[in-house]
Every structure is written in structure tokens, then in C-alpha cells.
């Protein structure tokens, strides 16, 4: 086996292959997170075991009643594909410690209990059938393993527990063919990568899957950052993970969660921040106890998928960050070649006109992205005026209509001059030059 690299050399080595390994991921933009485990049966958040101090023997009984219906992972993958998502990440084992695969390292699993099926296998097959990238969520924290807590202060327990974590992930990365993403979570109770042996383990795991992309939750920065519960751009590769209801990752009662469920326009707002800020959106579903998709996720995701089929150019593919401002009621993103500004109109002007400030260059053409309908415009001073817009919102399902401004060369826009009367004079705004 190859020598283990020190942290600096390891980081340099992974950085050297990152562009190649992450090309598909940077293009993908949109993925589905799936939180599925025993906790779905409780229907009160995936942390229910610890939040309610349920004793392990009592919680374990959920393993016997765990009963995913046949073909559940296929349902998730079909919806992900219909939603325009390009990859999926599933909780192979959450903090409860129950493995959803045929694990030799962990007998507390879905082949020995409940359905007596390898759900990870079904998930992998479903991803492959629908052409989706495959990601494995893998908790570091474990509430079931006897060393899961004592590892923090007992050397022998730490040695056993880190070996256990490695054995689990080795199984996942050797039993299912090519896996694209390893998505670690919650590195408690130990507080350092040294404690978790992350440097050594991650190198050995990468040797099993040289194209593997690893997230930043094993206390090493690795390939990408994981803002959680908010969509915020950062300077490195990033993927925002979001629940579907702002309440829970695991299943919660649908009737009660309904008012909090994201709508298609809310999802598009998140995607806009990703497309303009160089990141991905990993949007979660928490399947019901029998593994079926919560009904309230289906319509918004299907609408987003239909929208992406018409407007995907504004989203997919690696593209420059967008320094161009909107007009206050629209978002923006650039095309991969930087020659198009896409205006994501959250609302549609009622008077047939739309003004955009700060444009020092005029576009060559303006059109609706979804069907190429040309739109009339005038460029006066630094003001771009769209003059004869359709009176009705062209996008009738989500309401979010994208206008495509195509430029010949460099786009010069400065957002925004605080004082409209100062045309090109004093300007307190950041440079918006592409
Ligand atoms: C948190 C939670 C966990 C969830 C994860 C998703 O860290 O502990 O329940 O799986 O976030 O990002």
C-alpha cells in the first residue's frame, strides 16, 4: 500500500486532481439528498433517539418494524431525474447507527433486520438506471456503537471505533462499483482530524475510488464546503444542503409540514444563488416510513424539472460568478462563456416595460430564454429599457421567467449608482465588470 502522505502533501495531491474529479459535479448544480432510516417511523426528526433520550434497546425495536416498500429507491431516483437533479446522496447510516446495507462490520443492518434487503444496493441500481451520480452519506457520530462516545477519552475505544468507521466506509466503497461522492457528517465526539484518523482513512478510501469527491465534514477541508440550512456562496467549491420544509431532514407528518414545504419558486431562488455563486444545491426529501416520497415534494420538484428543461442554460455547467446586479426584483446568472446575462424574474412587470440600471454596454439581443422570443429594447445612457414585454408572465407554472441578454464582448455594468442623476459620475458601487 502507498505511503500515507502528511496533511500538506495530501492536500496538494487532492488539489491537483480536483478539477478533473469534480468536473461533473460542478456542471451538475442540483442534487437530491435522501434522509431515510429507522427514524422515518417515528416521524419526528432524524435526531429523535437522542433528542428524546430513547434507550438503545427500545430504539432498536424500530429495526424489526422497518419495512421499505419494494422499489422505493427507484421512486426517489425517478423523481430526482424528473426534477432535473443530476446526482443523489443517501444516508447509508445516520447517527442512529443502523446500516442500510449488507454490512459485515455492522450487524445492526437492513439485511439482518426489518426488510432483509440491501437498500444501498437498490439505491445504487436506481441511480444508475436514471443516470444520476451516486453519493453516500456516512455519519461519523454513532449512537449505537458501544465505543461511539467513549472513543473521545478512551484510547482503546478510539482505536476500535475508527477501525469500525473505516470498515463501514470500505464496504460501501468496494461493494457497489464506482461511487462518486462520500458525504461525511457530524464528527462528534472527537474534535480533530487526528482523533478521527481522517487523514489516513481518507487516503485509503481514495485509493479504492480514485475519482471520489469528499465533503468537508471529517474535520479536513477536502473537496467542498457544506453550508447547511442556508444558501451562501463561498470562495471554494460549495454545496448548500437544505431540508424540504425547514423543519427536519427525516420524515415528519405531511399534513403538519405542508405549510412549511418549499414551493417551486422558492427552490428556484436557491438555485439562482447557486448558479450565480458557483455552488450546488442538495435538496433533501425525507421518505415516509415505507420509503415512498412525501407527496408534497412531488409537485414542486416536477415543476422545477419542467422549468429546468426550458431554462437549464441559466443553471447547469461551470460558469463565472455573476457580478451583475438585477433590478431588485430579479436574480442573475451568467452563461458559461460569460456572454449572456440571464435575468431570473421573480415578478413580472405589469406595464410592459422593465428598466435595468448601470449598463455601460448594450446587448446585441434580448430574448426569452425558454423559447427565444425576441424582446424589444433601448439602451439610453446607462439604462437598458425593455420596451414591449408580454403583459402576462410568460412562465405559467413557476412564474419565474428568464430573460436572456446576449452581449458581443465584455459586459460592463456598474450596480448601482446611488444617485440616478449622476450618469457615470461619482459612483460608490463595486466594479461590475465581467
Ligand atoms: C446535521 C444533522 C443531520 C443531518 C445533516 C445534513 O448535521 O446532524 O441530522 O443529516 O445535518 O446536513
Amino acid at each position: 500500500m502507498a505511503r500515507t502522505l502528511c496533511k500538506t502533501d495530501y492536500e496538494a495531491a487532492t488539489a491537483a486532481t480536483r478539477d478533473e474529479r469534480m468536473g461533473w459535479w460542478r456542471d451538475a448544480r442540483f442534487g437530491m439528498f435522501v434522509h431515510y432510516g429507522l427514524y422515518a417511523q417515528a416521524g419526528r426528526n432524524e435526531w429523535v433517539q437522542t433528542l428524546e433520550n430513547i434507550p438503545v434497546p427500545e430504539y432498536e425495536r424500530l429495526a424489526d418494524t422497518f419495512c421499505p416498500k419494494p422499489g422505493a429507491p427507484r421512486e426517489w431516483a425517478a423523481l430526482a431525474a424528473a426534477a432535473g437533479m443530476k446526482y443523489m446522496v443517501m444516508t447509508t447510516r445516520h447517527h442512529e447507527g443502523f446500516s442500510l446495507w449488507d454490512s459485515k462490520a455492522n450487524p445492526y443492518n437492513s439485511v439482518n433486520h426489518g426488510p432483509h434487503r440491501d437498500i444501498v444496493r437498490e439505491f445504487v441500481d436506481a441511480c444508475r438506471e436514471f443516470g444520476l451520480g451516486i453519493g453516500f452519506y456516512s455519519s461519523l457520530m454513532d449512537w449505537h456503537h458501544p465505543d461511539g462516545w467513549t472513543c473521545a477519552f478512551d484510547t482503546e475505544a478510539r482505536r476500535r471505533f475508527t477501525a469500525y468507521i473505516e470498515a463501514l466506509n470500505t464496504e460501501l466503497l468496494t461493494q457497489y462499483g464506482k461511487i462518486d461522492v462520500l458525504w461525511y457528517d457530524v464528527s462528534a465526539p472527537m474534535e480533530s482530524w487526528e482523533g478521527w484518523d481522517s487523514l489516513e482513512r481518507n487516503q485509503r478510501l481514495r485509493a479504492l475510488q480514485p475519482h471520489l469527491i469528499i465533503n468537508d465534514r471529517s474535520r479536513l477541508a477536502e473537496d467542498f464546503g457544506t453550508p447547511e440550512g442556508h444558501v451562501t456562496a463561498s470562495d471554494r467549491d460549495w454545496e448548500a444542503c437544505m431540508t424540504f420544509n425547514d423543519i427536519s431532514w427525516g420524515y415528519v407528518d405531511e399534513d403538519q409540514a405542508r405549510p412549511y414545504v418549499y414551493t417551486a419558486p422558492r427552490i428556484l431562488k436557491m438555485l439562482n444563488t447557486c448558479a450565480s455563486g458557483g455552488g450546488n444545491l442538495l435538496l433533501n426529501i425525507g421518505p415516509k416510513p415505507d420509503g415512498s416520497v412525501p407527496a408534497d415534494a412531488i409537485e414542486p420538484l416536477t415543476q422545477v424539472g419542467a422549468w429546468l428543461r426550458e431554462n437549464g442554460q441559466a443553471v447547469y455547467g461551470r460558469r463565472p460568478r455573476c457580478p451583475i446586479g438585477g433590478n431588485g426584483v430579479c436574480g442573475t446568472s451568467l452563461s458559461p462563456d460569460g456572454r449572456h446575462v440571464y435575468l431570473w424574474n421573480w415578478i413580472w412587470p405589469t406595464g410592459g416595460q422593465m428598466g435595468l440600471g448601470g449598463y455601460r454596454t448594450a446587448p446585441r439581443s434580448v430574448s426569452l430564454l425558454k423559447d427565444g422570443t425576441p424582446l424589444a429594447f433601448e439602451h439610453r445612457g446607462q439604462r437598458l429599457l425593455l420596451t414591449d414585454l408580454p403583459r402576462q408572465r410568460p412562465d405559467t407554472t413557476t412564474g419565474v421567467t428568464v430573460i436572456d441578454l446576449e452581449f458581443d464582448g465584455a459586459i460592463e455594468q456598474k450596480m448601482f449608482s446611488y444617485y440616478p442623476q449622476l450618469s457615470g459620475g461619482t459612483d460608490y458601487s463595486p466594479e461590475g465588470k465581467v
Side-chain angles (χ1 to χ4, degrees):
M1 188 182 289
R3 192 172 55 90
T4 313
L5 302 176
C6 72
K7 184 160 175 285
T8 317
D9 289 352
Y10 173 64
E11 285 172 351
T14 49
T17 58
R18 186 161 295 139
D19 284 347
E20 202 244 310
R21 286 183 295 110
M22 296 190 73
W24 74 268
W25 187 94
R26 290 168 175 163
D27 287 347
R29 193 72 70 207
F30 193 24
M32 178 182 273
F33 214 173
V34 180
H35 274 69
Y36 188 49
L38 304 181
Y39 45 82
Q41 297 171 83
R44 304 189 295 281
N45 192 293
E46 72 288 350
W47 274 66
V48 63
Q49 180 179 356
T50 185
L51 292 176
E52 298 182 14
N53 283 157
I54 303 175
V56 169
E58 184 184 330
Y59 192 86
E60 276 178 342
R61 291 205 284 275
L62 291 172
D64 300 319
T65 48
F66 185 52
C67 188
K69 68 177 189 188
R74 206 179 167 274
E75 233 183 66
W76 314 334
L79 180 61
M85 293 161 156
K86 302 296 185 190
Y87 62 106
M88 296 180 77
V89 179
M90 184 192 69
T91 50
T92 60
R93 176 183 129 278
H94 205 265
H95 313 328
E96 65 185 5
F98 187 74
S99 289
L100 295 184
W101 74 94
D102 188 8
S103 174
K104 300 293 169 277
N106 180 18
Y108 186 48
N109 69 51
S110 63
V111 173
N112 292 337
H113 296 264
H116 300 289
R117 283 174 19 220
D118 186 329
I119 308 300
V120 169
R121 160 70 58 206
E122 295 176 19
F123 167 73
V124 165
D125 289 348
C127 289
R128 296 209 172 110
E129 180 184 343
F130 287 91
L132 301 164
I134 304 170
F136 286 161
Y137 167 107
S138 178
S139 180
L140 289 167
M141 177 164 74
D142 193 306
W143 301 325
H144 186 263
H145 193 281
D147 298 317
W149 162 242
T150 46
C151 62
F153 44 83
D154 174 329
T155 311
E156 276 307 299
R158 189 192 78 83
R159 198 189 45 73
R160 283 191 302 266
F161 190 60
T162 53
Y164 175 66
I165 292 292
E166 180 153 343
L168 294 173
N169 288 292
T170 302
E171 288 180 350
L172 287 170
L173 296 177
T174 51
Q175 292 177 194
Y176 303 95
K178 183 166 180 280
I179 300 306
D180 302 297
V181 180
L182 177 59
W183 214 102
Y184 284 123
D185 194 24
V186 184
S187 50
M190 291 182 282
E191 292 178 353
S192 66
W193 55 267
E194 291 94 336
W196 283 102
D197 285 347
S198 291
L199 182 63
E200 295 77 10
R201 182 183 59 260
N202 290 359
Q203 289 184 55
R204 289 190 287 265
L205 295 179
R206 283 188 190 277
L208 303 172
Q209 297 268 351
H211 285 88
L212 194 64
I213 297 172
I214 302 182
N215 76 348
D216 65 347
R217 295 194 180 182
S218 62
R219 296 200 182 259
L220 290 175
E222 291 289 0
D223 292 318
F224 66 95
T226 53
E228 177 174 327
H230 58 99
V231 187
T232 312
S234 71
D235 288 340
R236 62 180 311 217
D237 286 297
W238 58 275
E239 177 198 66
C241 50
M242 299 293 289
T243 63
F244 213 85
N245 49 30
D246 214 8
I247 299 172
S248 168
W249 299 93
Y251 176 73
V252 287
D253 182 88
E254 272 180 282
D255 291 335
Q256 298 186 61
R258 188 156 301 129
Y260 308 99
V261 160
Y262 291 124
T263 58
R266 292 288 304 277
I267 296 167
L268 292 180
K269 286 214 80 182
M270 300 183 214
L271 267 182
N272 174 247
T273 309
C274 295
S276 66
N280 284 7
L281 175 64
L282 188 65
L283 184 59
N284 181 71
I285 61 163
K288 295 185 196 184
D290 73 352
S292 50
V293 175
D296 290 337
I298 295 173
E299 189 175 293
L301 286 178
T302 309
Q303 287 176 350
V304 167
W307 186 94
L308 281 166
R309 279 192 288 283
E310 292 184 335
N311 298 285
Q313 268 172 276
V315 176
Y316 300 122
R318 194 166 187 207
R319 55 192 65 220
R321 304 277 168 106
C322 187
I324 309 285
N327 63 354
V329 285
C330 70
T332 53
S333 62
L334 288 178
S335 58
D337 67 4
R339 286 183 46 249
H340 296 248
V341 177
Y342 301 116
L343 304 173
W344 304 44
N345 292 281
W346 311 129
I347 61 169
W348 191 249
T350 46
Q353 286 213 346
M354 181 191 301
L356 296 148
Y359 281 84
R360 296 176 178 192
T361 45
R364 166 221 289 233
S365 68
V366 179
S367 57
L368 288 181
L369 180 61
K370 66 186 216 138
D371 57 10
T373 306
L375 300 174
F377 67 96
E378 291 168 17
H379 185 233
R380 292 190 210 141
Q382 294 185 20
R383 187 169 195 222
L384 183 60
L385 201 62
L386 313 189
T387 52
D388 191 18
L389 293 169
R391 297 302 160 123
Q392 302 297 321
R393 287 175 180 224
D395 191 295
T396 46
T397 41
T398 67
V400 181
T401 304
V402 179
I403 292 178
D404 174 357
L405 310 179
E406 183 186 9
F407 289 81
D408 276 323
I411 305 166
E412 258 194 74
Q413 191 246 15
K414 261 193 169 183
M415 269 306 285
F416 49 90
S417 183
Y418 290 160
Y419 305 98
Q421 66 273 33
L422 300 175
S423 55
T426 313
D427 195 326
Y428 302 96
S429 66
E431 197 68 28
K433 208 169 180 181
V434 187

